[in-house]
Structure formats: C-alpha cells, structure tokens
Amino acid sequence: MSPLLYLKGRLVPDSKARVSPLNGTALFGEGLFESLPVYGGKPLFLKDHLARLKKGCRFLGWQAVAPTEFKKAIRLFNRENAGDYLIRFNLAQEFTLPVSPRTFSRRPPLLWAFTRPLAHGPKNFWPLLGPVGVSPWTVPAASSLPNDFKWAFYMMTRQAYRKKPRWREMVRVNAEGFAVDGAGSGVLWFDGKRVLLPPADWVGLESVTQARVAALCRKIGIAVERRAWKPGQVLRGGELIFTGSGVGVMGATHLNGKKLPGGHRLAFRLWQYYREWAQNPLSH
C-alpha cells in the first residue's frame, strides 16, 4: 500500500503532508469522514457514500465538496494501488487566529484522504469470521446527536480496542443495553427466521452497506424488521453479522469470549452476493 495521501488536489508522501493545527477536527472534534472500498480500481456504492457526506456538510453548514474532487482522488490512488483497497476521505474546516467555538468559515472544508488494505476481498470464497465483543461505552440518546452521516467519534471505540485487541468488531449499545450498531460497520441479527436491524431513529451511524444488504435480504425472500434486541439474545441462536466498507460481510464466531451457537449460512450467502457487487461495482 502506497504511503501517499491525497491533499489539495495531489498525492503527497505522508511524511510531507501538512494539515493546519487550527483544524476543526483537532480543535473541536468536528469533522466528517467516509470509508470507500475500491475493487479493481472501481469504487463500490460511490453515489451513496457521497450522498451521506453531503448530508453531513448540510448539517454543519459547510459547502459540499464537488464529486469531481473525490473522483480525482480515486483516479490518482488507482495509479499507486493495485487490486482492492479502502480510501478514507476526511473533511474538516481550517481556521486562522483568533479561533474559538464560535468561529465558523465560509470556505469549503479541506479534503484529505489516505488508503489502507482491505481485510477482505472478492476472490475469497469465505467471508470474514472472527470474535467480537460488546463495547463497554454506551451510545448517546437520539436526542443528543444526529445519526445520518459519519462524524468523528472514535475515542471510546479506540479505548475498547486497546483493552480487547483480538476483537474484530464490536456491538455498540445504548443505555438500556440494546444493540445500536457496530464500531465501524452496521450490525444485524438473523434469529433464524428474520433479519433484525436496530431501530432507525437510534444513534447508530448510518451504514451504506447495511442498507444495501437489508434490501438484498428482502429481495431473496428473507424478512427484515427494525426491532430492539440485545446482544445477549444472540447466544440463544441465529447469526450475528456485520456489514460495512471495511469488512464487506463478516460473521461473528464469539461474543465476549463465548462461542456463538449458530453457524454462518446467511453470512456465507450474503457474502456471495457481495462478491458479485465487488466484481462489478459500477453496476450497483
């Protein structure tokens, strides 16, 4: 993977990239990001990811960055990265002194991006499988934070991974212990009869891939419901599945160290459809 970042319209070595310390993400934790998988040089669900970024810009009162800028970054990264990889796009405003929480800018946000390897690939016959856990940190209530775009929130997620480095993912829960989302992907529970998603109005960060997978389940005849459920219920049976740009489709083998009793039949089936999407990204 090339150690180059996209910044101000060109690729630069990571050691020479410069972002101002007067950056809204560094100062106030105010920033947007989007993780986009690229397969064989072609991005998957690009329109969906850009639409989610645009919603975030609208909420923050920012000018939206033109889609051509993202496409330029993809084109440049494709020259440096062969095969499949992930692009992490970041947006934040940069300020000049004096600056305070009341400082805003009329300029478009700064866009920078970098790449990292994917943990999965469409050539793999089996989906990702691995142990997961339940985050000890609860998600804020829906009245506290918006949930329909990706914003910077990773501090508590990183703290949990420091203590549980073997976890491949984690279920984030609310104050009542109900599942809300995954740390970096959407989460669903197949109870053996239907796929259960957390309620849409909770503060689970909107997942592009989860929405696509839910629509796929309906298409192939599997009922999908939005209903509250707790991670412990998964120990009774069914499958705990994560879907997102970083994992594609992932099946959980253990939850908080306890082996899950269900197999991975649905995860395997969904993964085969995802492989088709990844091999023909521009057709979806």
Side-chain angles (χ1 to χ4, degrees), residues 43 180 263:
V180 175

Side-chain angles (χ1 to χ4, degrees), residues 128 144 235 272:
L128 284 176
S144 305
L235 293 170
Q272 302 314 311

Side-chain angles (χ1 to χ4, degrees), residues 215-243:
L216 169 62
C217 288
R218 296 185 181 98
K219 184 176 180 180
I220 62 178
I222 301 174
V224 177
E225 295 181 22
R226 286 199 174 272
R227 180 184 298 181
W229 52 275
K230 294 185 176 182
Q233 293 176 257
V234 182
L235 293 170
R236 304 174 189 169
E239 297 181 46
L240 184 63
I241 298 173
F242 294 83
T243 64

Side-chain angles (χ1 to χ4, degrees), residues 69-121:
E69 188 74 9
F70 297 95
K71 293 177 181 179
K72 180 180 180 180
I74 296 168
R75 189 167 62 251
L76 292 177
F77 278 132
N78 277 337
R79 296 176 185 175
E80 302 292 331
N81 300 282
D84 310 326
Y85 61 96
L86 187 82
I87 302 178
R88 162 72 181 248
F89 290 109
N90 307 274
L91 292 178
Q93 286 191 322
E94 293 194 327
F95 307 103
T96 57
L97 292 174
V99 61
S100 77
R102 296 173 63 96
T103 302
F104 302 98
S105 173
R106 295 181 180 274
R107 294 181 299 174
L110 176 71
L111 166 66
W112 73 98
F114 56 86
T115 63
R116 67 171 185 255
L118 283 168
H120 65 280

Side-chain angles (χ1 to χ4, degrees), residues 8-236:
K8 298 181 180 178
R10 61 193 183 95
L11 295 185
V12 297
D14 56 0
S15 61
K16 295 184 179 180
R18 298 291 181 267
V19 176
S20 170
L22 301 180
N23 179 296
T25 301
L27 293 174
F28 310 121
E30 181 182 78
L32 300 173
F33 71 93
E34 201 71 24
S35 296
L36 176 74
V38 178
Y39 301 101
K42 299 175 183 178
L44 182 63
F45 308 146
L46 178 61
K47 289 184 178 179
D48 295 3
H49 286 285
L50 294 185
R52 184 168 58 180
L53 268 178
K54 190 174 183 179
K55 283 194 289 187
C57 287
R58 185 164 56 244
F59 175 82
L60 293 171
W62 295 353
Q63 294 184 45
V65 176
T68 53
E69 188 74 9
F70 297 95
K71 293 177 181 179
K72 180 180 180 180
I74 296 168
R75 189 167 62 251
L76 292 177
F77 278 132
N78 277 337
R79 296 176 185 175
E80 302 292 331
N81 300 282
D84 310 326
Y85 61 96
L86 187 82
I87 302 178
R88 162 72 181 248
F89 290 109
N90 307 274
L91 292 178
Q93 286 191 322
E94 293 194 327
F95 307 103
T96 57
L97 292 174
V99 61
S100 77
R102 296 173 63 96
T103 302
F104 302 98
S105 173
R106 295 181 180 274
R107 294 181 299 174
L110 176 71
L111 166 66
W112 73 98
F114 56 86
T115 63
R116 67 171 185 255
L118 283 168
H120 65 280
K123 295 180 181 178
N124 297 330
F125 186 68
W126 293 97
L128 284 176
L129 301 173
V132 304
V134 178
S135 172
W137 309 102
T138 59
V139 177
S143 59
S144 305
L145 297 167
N147 66 336
D148 57 354
F149 51 83
K150 292 279 189 177
W151 50 281
F153 77 104
Y154 270 125
M155 186 173 70
M156 292 297 97
T157 297
R158 284 168 53 79
Q159 182 68 358
Y161 278 137
R162 284 188 180 98
K163 296 182 178 181
K164 301 290 184 179
R166 293 189 61 196
W167 287 358
R168 296 294 299 267
E169 249 287 4
M170 69 181 79
V171 184
R172 299 200 310 152
V173 297
N174 62 16
E176 288 74 43
F178 290 106
V180 175
D181 64 6
S185 10
V187 64
L188 57 89
W189 174 35
F190 176 57
D191 67 359
K193 297 180 180 179
R194 57 192 177 272
V195 166
L196 298 177
L197 304 180
D201 58 348
W202 289 357
V203 190
L205 296 181
E206 181 186 77
S207 170
V208 166
T209 312
Q210 184 192 59
R212 291 281 189 152
V213 167
L216 169 62
C217 288
R218 296 185 181 98
K219 184 176 180 180
I220 62 178
I222 301 174
V224 177
E225 295 181 22
R226 286 199 174 272
R227 180 184 298 181
W229 52 275
K230 294 185 176 182
Q233 293 176 257
V234 182
L235 293 170
R236 304 174 189 169

